[in-house]
Amino acid sequence: EPLQEARRCEPLMETHDEYLDDDGYREAEGAAPLSMDCPDDDAPELIAEHSEGATPLCQLCRKPCHDDAPSAPSDQPATVEPSASSSSDISARRKLQWKFKGLTIWLELEEFDNDLTRAVEDLSCKHSSPFIPKPHTTAIYGMEHLSIDEAKARLARVRDVVGQWPAFEKPTGVTSSIAECGKPGQVCSIAWSELTLSSNEEHEAAMDALHRLFFGEDWVPETRDRPWKPHNSIAYDNPETNTLSLLDTVMYCASSNPTLLGRARRVEAISLWSTVGKMEEWECIDRVRFW
C-alpha cells in the first residue's frame, strides 16, 4: 500500500532563541522572545521553540543508492519502524485530509538514537493523529514542471552542485500552530508541530543553488521567499479535528527527549518525494546521501 511504501522511506510536511540547560530552559543572550501560537484558547502562551557484494539499498526507500554516494557509517542506527502494537492501529488514526501536489525535496537530518523518528511515532500514537512517513525539513515543495525522471536526474547532481548541505544549529524552539493556504509562506491548511530551525548565509546559498538546479539557470533568486524559515515537522493534524498540544509537544521535547532541542544536526540525505494527493499517498522516489 502507498502508506506502507512511504513508511519504508521512513518522515511535508519559524526562529526562537531558546535552549535547554540542566535546569530547564534559558533564553539565549540577546534573543528576542518567541510567542508560540496555540489552537487551544485556554492554553498558556509559551516561549520555546544485503548481501555482501550487492549494491547497498537505501535504508529508507529500499532502492539502490547512487553508485557514487558514500556508504552509511557503520555506527549509523537502523531505521526505527513503529512497534507491532502501534503499527496495528495506524489505520485507525485520523488521516490528513489536505490534498498536496507535485514533487517535493526534503532534507533528512541526522538523528541521535532515532530521536526524530521516535518523536513522529510517539506524538502520532498519543494523539491518534495522522502519521508522517518521515521526519523532514522541506527545501522545495510541489514542483509540477518536471517529470519524475527529470527530477531524479537533477537530484543525482545535487552533491556536485551543492556539496555538503550546511549543518543546522540546535533548534531555536518548538512551534505548534495551524497553517492556512494562501497566507504568506503557507501552502496548505493543516495543523502541525515542529522543531524550529534557523537559517544563515550558507543555508541561503545552498537553497539558491538547489532552486537553480531544479528550476534552471534562468531561475530568478528574488522569486524565493527570504529568509528561508526551515523547520523539522514532527506532527500533523487536520485543523478541524486538531488535538496537538503545544504544552505536550514542549514537554515531550524538553523533558523526555532533550536531544531534540539540545543537539546541532548535520543533513544526512536529500530525498525526492511525490507529494501528490493525501499524505498516505506520498511516495519516496529517490534519495542521495551527503555522508
Side-chain angles (χ1 to χ4, degrees):
E1 296 180 1
L3 175 59
Q4 297 300 319
E5 176 64 23
R7 284 179 49 210
R8 288 195 199 102
C9 288
E10 286 191 45
L12 221 3
M13 90 27 5
E14 266 175 18
T15 46
H16 325 307
D17 294 297
E18 288 288 317
Y19 296 98
L20 183 67
D21 61 15
D22 293 338
D23 299 319
Y25 286 112
R26 61 178 173 84
E27 186 171 301
E29 183 178 357
L34 166 67
S35 173
M36 301 209 180
D37 297 328
C38 182
D40 299 324
D41 293 337
D42 58 348
E45 179 175 282
L46 295 178
I47 293 179
E49 50 149 320
H50 313 338
S51 60
E52 186 174 356
T55 301
L57 297 180
C58 168
Q59 293 183 12
L60 304 185
C61 60
R62 312 308 302 165
K63 297 177 181 178
C65 295
H66 287 289
D67 292 337
D68 60 344
S71 300
S74 58
D75 60 348
Q76 180 71 15
T79 299
V80 172
E81 292 288 345
S83 64
S85 59
S86 62
S87 294
S88 63
D89 67 359
I90 283 181
S91 61
R93 300 179 194 178
R94 292 187 298 281
K95 301 295 189 292
L96 203 60
Q97 296 304 307
W98 184 262
K99 292 184 178 180
F100 298 83
K101 68 176 184 178
L103 299 173
T104 294
I105 302 296
W106 286 354
L107 302 178
E108 300 173 9
L109 305 189
E110 177 180 18
E111 299 201 35
F112 301 98
D113 194 24
N114 296 291
D115 53 353
L116 296 174
T117 297
R118 286 188 292 105
V120 166
E121 167 57 22
D122 290 348
L123 292 173
S124 174
C125 184
K126 177 174 183 177
H127 296 284
S128 194
S129 56
F131 182 78
I132 300 176
K134 176 167 178 57
H136 60 275
T137 296
T138 301
I140 300 176
Y141 165 71
M143 295 182 293
E144 296 180 302
H145 65 291
L146 297 174
S147 68
I148 288 178
D149 287 342
E150 289 171 332
K152 287 177 64 176
R154 297 190 188 199
L155 184 73
R157 297 171 48 207
V158 72
R159 288 189 299 117
D160 295 329
V161 173
V162 178
Q164 171 65 52
W165 196 280
F168 290 99
E169 297 298 327
K170 293 185 292 185
T172 57
V174 171
T175 298
S176 186
S177 190
I178 296 178
E180 294 183 32
C181 185
K183 286 189 174 181
Q186 299 182 350
V187 296
C188 56
S189 295
I190 62 171
W192 89 101
S193 292
E194 68 174 51
L195 301 179
T196 305
L197 304 171
S198 59
S199 176
N200 57 33
E201 291 183 359
E202 291 183 336
H203 292 125
E204 298 297 329
M207 282 289 284
D208 285 345
L210 189 68
H211 278 71
R212 191 170 291 108
L213 173 62
F214 280 92
F215 290 96
E217 289 299 323
D218 56 350
W219 172 76
V220 179
E222 289 72 24
T223 60
R224 179 173 71 81
D225 290 339
R226 297 170 185 273
W228 182 36
K229 297 179 180 180
H231 61 272
N232 199 96
S233 301
I234 54 176
Y236 287 161
D237 207 344
N238 299 296
E240 303 81 8
T241 58
N242 179 39
T243 62
L244 301 179
S245 164
L246 176 60
L247 181 58
D248 278 352
T249 306
V250 170
M251 294 304 296
Y252 177 87
C253 294
S255 301
S256 304
N257 298 275
T259 60
L260 291 172
L261 294 176
R263 301 295 293 269
R265 296 177 192 266
R266 296 173 294 172
V267 177
E268 178 182 346
I270 186 169
S271 54
L272 171 68
W273 287 68
S274 169
T275 50
V276 176
K278 296 183 179 180
M279 187 165 63
E280 63 263 32
E281 301 174 82
W282 292 355
E283 180 184 4
C284 179
I285 296 171
D286 207 353
R287 180 175 185 264
V288 173
R289 302 184 67 92
F290 284 114
W291 47 269

